[in-house]
């Protein structure tokens, strides 16, 4: 079993060091603190230690869970000093040496429980503003202070970070993004429904391209089919589907027979004439559901045969 011990918790890159260790068999079932002691001994005995002597009593081990915690840093998981190496550290894992004294499993668990209790109390007595760019907390029931916020969600596109409501003000790192000024002022909002929006939490490149493309224009055939059906948006869908089925070998007469049966059932259910646009639109949904069910049945049969 090999692990890579890394010290990068210093702005001076000259003090950084990576130590690759092949663990003796006895170490695998031993405490993780042994790894820290081994690294500190190696570090202080090398050139890095001459300029930056480390003390194992003021350091702890961590693994990196992800590169971004939403605040410009990585998400780290602290490794307890009394934990067993084999149960906490996978083979060839990067283990980071971080400043701050090591803690036992019991101490880490106690902090976790205390944090859970704190959040429980906060949720019972505190509210959090849900407006974009605010996130302030205040006591439930008010009085609610004034809120400075953005009217649109943030956009993260390539290296640029900005608010969709303020596209001309961009940042290219997290610190700069947090300093971008807000554009709206109102009372704090604690209910997403108060905003009257189903906006996404954030936008990306696909969302920007979709916004720039504008509404999709109908073809002349779709326009004519919709108009002939009294404004039904489902009519052109059925026309295209009829043509596709014909190419697949399904006769138009059979398609029309099935569709007419669905229309009659829908018309009876909602109490309208079969030519009513509402009946046509609902028939599209019913036919789509039946086709989906048939394709699922085919897929299940294929799996059964295989």
């Amino acid at each position: 079993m090999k692990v890579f011990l890394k010290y990068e918790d210093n702005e001076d890159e000259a003090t950084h060091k990576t130590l690759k260790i092949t663990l003796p068999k006895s170490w695998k079932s031993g405490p993780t603190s042994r790894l820290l002691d081994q690294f500190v001994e190696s570090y202080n005995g090398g050139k890095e230690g001459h300029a930056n002597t480390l003390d194992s009593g003021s350091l702890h081990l961590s693994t990196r869970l992800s590169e971004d915690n939403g605040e410009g840093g990585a998400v780290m998981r602290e490794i307890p000093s009394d934990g067993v190496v084999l149960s906490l550290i996978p083979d060839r894992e990067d283990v980071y040496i971080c400043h701050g004294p090591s803690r036992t499993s019991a101490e880490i668990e106690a902090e976790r429980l205390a944090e859970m209790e704190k959040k429980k109390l906060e949720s019972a007595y505190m509210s959090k503003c849900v407006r974009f760019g605010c996130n302030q907390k205040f006591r439930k029931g008010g009085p609610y202070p004034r809120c400075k916020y953005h009217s649109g969600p943030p956009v993260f596109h390539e290296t640029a970070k900005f608010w969709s409501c303020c596209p001309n003000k961009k940042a290219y790192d997290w610190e700069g993004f947090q300093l971008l000024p807000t554009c709206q002022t109102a009372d704090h909002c604690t209910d997403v429904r108060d905003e009257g929006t189903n906006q996404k939490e954030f936008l990306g490149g696909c969302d920007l391209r979709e916004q720039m493309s504008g509404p999709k224009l109908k073809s002349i055939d779709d326009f004519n089919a919709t108009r002939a059906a009294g404004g039904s948006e489902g009519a052109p869908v059925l026309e295209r589907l009829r043509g596709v089925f014909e190419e697949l070998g399904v006769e138009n007469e059979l398609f029309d027979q099935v569709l007419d049966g669905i229309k009659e059932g829908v018309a009876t259910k909602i109490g309208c004439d079969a030519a009513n646009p509402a009946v046509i639109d609902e028939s599209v949904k019913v036919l789509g559901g039946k086709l989906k069910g048939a394709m699922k049945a085919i897929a299940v049969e294929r799996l059964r045969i295989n």
Side-chain angles (χ1 to χ4, degrees), residues 241 262 282-297:
L241 189 60
I262 293 175
E282 184 63 26
S283 296
V284 171
K285 297 178 182 178
V286 174
L287 180 58
K290 290 182 179 295
L291 291 175
K292 183 177 181 180
M295 295 189 74
K296 282 185 175 180

Side-chain angles (χ1 to χ4, degrees), residues 291-306:
L291 291 175
K292 183 177 181 180
M295 295 189 74
K296 282 185 175 180
I298 294 172
V300 170
E301 180 66 16
R302 179 177 179 276
L303 291 173
R304 186 184 67 79
I305 293 173
N306 291 342

Side-chain angles (χ1 to χ4, degrees), residues 268-283:
T268 301
K269 182 178 179 180
I270 65 177
C272 293
D273 184 83
N276 189 292
V279 172
I280 298 175
D281 291 342
E282 184 63 26
S283 296

